[in-house]
């Protein structure tokens, strides 16, 4: 489920009666930033888009809004936001504010009913390794795989795993492993895992085709712009 | 006998290869698309005539239609001329086949929005 402005509003409106400003800022790449500000409160959400998981984000709050930031959406504001975020996060780790706790409690309340409607996730029969350190879930299937192997193949996963998890909310876990929810189809993911674990030749054998082609043609195609 | 790749597998490696930045997966898929949906007559002559290298897999949508959808979704416009050509030569243009095609393309539009391409 994606985080959207309207959804944030739905979640936060009951918590903050006088929420008068909801700002949405999007940065290129995998990160989305949401800012909620009111005279007494300032919140920054940094949401990893690649995780596609609602509120699997770092939540920061402060009672006093820093001047100027929430009124501007310029590039420098984004940088300011990041430095602010770093500063706030340190404060957050040592002393979680009551607002954040209230938010987290609220979040659990709002998410629970959705979870109840779902059937429990099933473990994949093909890609469930007992020594795997991370569980990825697509649709309703969980795959316990090796973090380092995914990192090796995909820079996106590498970036995802190298980000520190907030100490106060390490996210969902299962059997001691962090669970990462992906928005992909389970069949798609299984195909990709088959390549990662069993090699691409299991899915195809392209070598046969290339033998049928004369070298110039191959050369031509390699030079072709992607 | 030629080894083939199922269109589901092709879609999966292109889609997730792009999303998770797994270069060799994308490359593998694009290679096959280049051969099956070439952009020049030379490659067309060299590669056509044999059996297709993409099998329909378990899906009910035809390979060509899936490839048209994929090309729109993942911005691989190079495949589209040949893909559309194949579509019109392999389908009698009755309203039902056009409707199916439009459905595929419209779904991609929705998916594009979901992926944040347009919004």
């Amino acid at each position: 489920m994606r985080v959207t402005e309207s959804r944030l509003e739905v979640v936060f409106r009951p918590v903050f009666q006088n929420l008068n400003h909801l700002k949405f800022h999007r940065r290129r790449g995998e990160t989305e930033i949401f800012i909620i500000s009111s005279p007494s409160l300032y919140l920054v959400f940094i949401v990893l888009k690649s995780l596609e998981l609602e509120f699997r984000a770092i939540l920061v709050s402060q009672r006093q809004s820093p001047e100027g930031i929430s009124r501007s959406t310029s590039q420098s504001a984004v940088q300011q936001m990041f430095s602010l975020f770093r500063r706030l996060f340190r404060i957050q780790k040592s002393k979680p504010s009551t607002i954040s706790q209230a938010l987290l409690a609220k979040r659990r309340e709002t998410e629970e009913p959705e979870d109840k409607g779902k059937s429990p996730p099933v473990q994949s029969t093909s890609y469930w390794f007992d020594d795997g350190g991370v569980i990825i879930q697509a649709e309703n299937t969980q795959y316990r795989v090796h973090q380092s192997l995914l990192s090796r193949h995909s820079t996106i996963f590498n970036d995802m795993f190298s980000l520190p998890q907030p100490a106060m909310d390490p996210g969902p876990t299962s059997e001691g492993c962090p669970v990462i929810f992906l928005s992909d189809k389970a069949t798609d993911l299984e195909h990709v895992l088959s390549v990662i674990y069993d090699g691409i030749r299991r899915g195809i054998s392209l070598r046969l085709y290339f033998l049928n082609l004369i070298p110039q043609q191959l050369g031509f195609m390699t030079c072709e712009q992607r | 006998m030629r080894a083939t790749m199922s269109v589901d597998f092709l879609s999966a490696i292109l889609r997730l290869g792009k999303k998770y930045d797994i270069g060799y997966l994308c490359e593998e898929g694009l290679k096959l698309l280049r051969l099956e949906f070439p952009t020049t007559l030379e490659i067309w002559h060299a590669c056509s005539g044999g059996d297709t290298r993409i099998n329909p897999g378990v899906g009910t949508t035809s390979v060509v239609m899936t490839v048209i959808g994929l090309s729109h979704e993942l911005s691989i416009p190079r495949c589209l001329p040949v893909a559309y050509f194949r579509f019109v030569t392999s389908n009698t243009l009755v309203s039902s086949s056009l409707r199916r095609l439009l459905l595929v393309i419209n779904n991609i539009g929705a998916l594009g929005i979901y992926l944040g391409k347009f919004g």
Side-chain angles (χ1 to χ4, degrees), chain A residues 4-16:
Chain A
T4 59
E5 267 179 273
S6 56
R7 191 156 168 83
L8 276 178
E9 276 235 329
V10 168
V11 175
F12 286 107
R13 188 64 74 183
V15 190
F16 305 110

Side-chain angles (χ1 to χ4, degrees), chain A residues 2 26 49-50 52 153-157 160 182-185 187-189 191-192 194-196 200-201 203-206 208-210 212-213 217 220-222 224-226, chain B residues 1-6 8-9 11-13 15-17 19-28 30-32 34-35 39-40 42-43 46-47 53 78 114-116 119:
Chain A
R2 282 167 60 79
R26 182 175 238 161
K49 200 179 157 202
S50 48
E52 302 263 12
H153 284 263
S154 156
T155 49
I156 302 294
F157 276 116
M160 197 192 289
L182 304 178
S183 60
D184 308 296
K185 276 161 59 182
T187 46
D188 279 2
L189 186 66
H191 280 310
V192 169
S194 83
V195 175
I196 289 179
I200 192 130
R201 299 296 160 204
I204 45 158
S205 180
L206 277 178
L208 287 177
Y209 316 141
F210 293 140
N212 296 333
L213 291 167
Q217 284 164 339
F220 183 80
M221 282 185 293
T222 337
E224 214 179 347
Q225 205 191 341
R226 259 182 78 180
Chain B
M1 201 183 112
R2 270 175 166 168
T4 61
M5 185 195 281
S6 80
D8 313 310
F9 185 85
S11 310
I13 62 171
R15 200 175 283 138
L16 269 65
K19 183 173 172 189
Y20 295 112
D21 196 15
I22 310 174
Y24 70 93
L25 274 190
C26 282
E27 202 42 58
E28 230 23 92
L30 288 173
K31 258 188 212 166
L32 185 57
R34 268 177 225 154
L35 292 175
T39 48
T40 67
E42 287 80 8
I43 305 176
C47 300
R53 298 165 184 88
R78 51 186 302 134
Y114 176 74
L115 292 172

Side-chain angles (χ1 to χ4, degrees), chain A residues 1-159:
Chain A
M1 189 184 301
R2 282 167 60 79
V3 181
T4 59
E5 267 179 273
S6 56
R7 191 156 168 83
L8 276 178
E9 276 235 329
V10 168
V11 175
F12 286 107
R13 188 64 74 183
V15 190
F16 305 110
Q17 293 302 326
N18 63 342
L19 182 75
N20 56 8
H21 193 69
L22 177 68
K23 228 177 179 116
F24 169 69
H25 193 97
R26 182 175 238 161
R27 196 171 156 258
R28 271 187 73 205
E30 307 82 47
T31 314
E32 280 176 339
I33 302 162
F34 295 87
I35 310 166
I36 298 172
S37 66
S38 74
S40 60
L41 180 87
Y42 184 80
L43 293 172
V44 179
F45 286 86
I46 306 227
V47 181
L48 287 176
K49 200 179 157 202
S50 48
L51 294 183
E52 302 263 12
L53 173 67
E54 183 150 35
F55 302 138
R56 190 182 170 80
I58 299 148
L59 176 67
V60 223
S61 72
Q62 187 174 285
R63 278 169 198 282
Q64 285 180 354
S65 167
E67 276 180 27
I69 290 180
S70 61
R71 285 175 190 82
S72 164
T73 53
S74 70
Q75 190 60 38
S76 65
V78 178
Q79 283 162 0
Q80 266 181 293
M81 215 155 46
F82 269 110
S83 64
L84 173 84
F85 157 71
R86 281 193 291 270
R87 194 154 53 85
L88 287 179
F89 187 52
R90 275 203 292 276
I91 298 165
Q92 190 64 60
K93 270 206 314 203
S94 58
K95 191 187 170 191
S97 77
T98 48
I99 291 172
S100 305
Q101 282 164 352
L103 273 176
L104 285 171
K106 190 75 198 171
R107 164 194 144 180
R108 285 185 186 120
E109 268 172 40
T110 50
E111 282 188 353
E112 253 171 347
E114 291 169 18
D115 292 343
K116 275 176 192 165
K118 289 179 195 165
S119 51
V122 284
Q123 294 180 3
S124 163
T125 46
S126 324
Y127 302 101
W128 183 273
F129 303 99
D130 288 335
D131 60 339
V134 64
I135 292 171
I136 50 179
Q137 181 171 342
E139 290 171 333
N140 210 26
T141 314
Q142 289 190 332
Y143 304 86
R144 185 164 171 178
V145 290
H146 301 91
Q147 192 169 317
S148 47
L149 195 61
L150 289 185
S151 296
R152 193 180 163 87
H153 284 263
S154 156
T155 49
I156 302 294
F157 276 116
N158 190 24
D159 292 348

